[in-house]
Amino acid sequence: MVQKAKILLVDDRPENLLALEAILSALDQTLVRAASGEEALKALLTDDFAVILLDVQMPGMDGFETASHIKRRERTRDIPIIFLTAINHGPHHTFRGYAAGAVDYISKPFDPWVLRAKVSVFVDLYVKNCQLKEQAALLRLQLEAGEAQPALGGALLSELSARLASVEEQAEALTKQLDGTDDSGAAATAADLERKLAGLRRALEAMRPGSD
């Protein structure tokens, strides 16, 4: 069973962190606070996160620099980053956010419902990816069990196929939900998930008796 996803909230102002927690509490996920870029990078050393909400204007290491460090680390480079800023310097400033690796760039004050909906999409994608990893682990088990005990391998293959079908159905529904939206970051992540699912399905079908 997939555990609750962790969402990293990075802002140097406690009142902003409190507001984010109030907005996102309805998602029923684990919210982790970081009061600086340095603190965020420390949290990312040990925990896996579904998405990062990162304030741009922070003393010391600002949001852009923090994002740059996150994207340079192999462990964290694929975690979606949503930039939050109280200052809108125009298109150039927004472009800098995307160039730093952000999937979205939201100016304060923002609509709480919109922010919650965007974060929810990335949480859903994270959960689906966790399920995909679980299916891949079962596939490895099936390979090992199939070599040692063909009957047991066949049982695991059927179970894995059913589990994978469930994830495929949920991923398809999520992709349809994103159709027609301007959330390109979430759409790209969803497309990558579908490609991984298709690859796992091909590998699974290739293991069935009588396949080439």
Side-chain angles (χ1 to χ4, degrees):
M1 181 176 294
V2 178
Q3 296 181 346
K4 289 184 178 182
K6 292 183 179 180
I7 302 169
L8 184 58
L9 313 176
V10 189
D11 199 305
D12 63 298
R13 299 175 67 88
E15 62 270 26
N16 289 344
L17 290 171
L18 187 63
L20 288 173
E21 288 175 336
I23 293 169
L24 300 176
S25 60
L27 298 180
D28 193 29
Q29 304 299 324
T30 302
L31 306 177
V32 178
R33 285 188 175 201
S36 66
E38 291 86 355
E39 194 173 321
L41 294 176
K42 185 176 180 180
L44 288 162
L45 287 174
T46 54
D47 288 326
D48 293 323
F49 291 90
V51 61
I52 302 169
L53 273 63
L54 181 57
D55 183 41
V56 172
Q57 305 293 329
M58 294 188 295
M61 184 184 296
D62 66 12
F64 295 129
E65 186 178 355
T66 303
S68 178
H69 283 288
I70 292 171
K71 292 302 177 182
R72 282 203 296 265
R73 292 179 178 177
E74 183 176 356
R75 174 188 173 92
T76 59
R77 65 178 54 161
D78 294 325
I79 301 176
I81 298 173
I82 298 177
F83 272 133
L84 304 175
T85 179
I87 302 175
N88 188 354
H89 291 293
H92 176 73
H93 201 251
T94 302
F95 176 77
R96 186 182 175 193
Y98 288 118
V103 296
D104 212 335
Y105 194 100
I106 303 177
S107 297
K108 304 174 186 177
F110 44 77
D111 185 326
W113 187 91
V114 171
L115 179 64
R116 187 164 53 244
K118 287 179 178 290
V119 172
S120 177
V121 168
F122 287 108
V123 168
D124 285 345
L125 287 168
Y126 174 81
V127 170
K128 300 301 182 297
N129 270 303
C130 287
Q131 291 174 334
L132 179 59
K133 290 177 182 178
E134 178 185 335
Q135 311 317 315
L138 282 173
L139 179 57
R140 285 192 294 272
L141 281 175
Q142 198 278 334
L143 282 168
E144 295 169 359
E147 292 174 358
Q149 304 179 42
L152 177 60
L156 280 174
L157 182 61
S158 297
E159 179 184 354
L160 179 57
S161 181
R163 286 171 175 260
L164 181 57
S166 175
V167 180
E168 287 171 331
E169 182 179 348
Q170 294 172 19
E172 182 180 357
L174 186 58
T175 300
K176 289 181 179 178
Q177 176 185 333
L178 292 171
D179 283 347
T181 70
D182 59 356
D183 202 335
S184 58
T189 305
D192 181 62
L193 174 60
E194 288 203 330
R195 284 193 294 271
K196 291 177 180 177
L197 284 168
L200 186 53
R201 172 59 68 184
R202 287 194 296 271
L204 193 61
E205 293 302 322
M207 296 173 59
R208 292 189 181 279
S211 62
D212 294 331

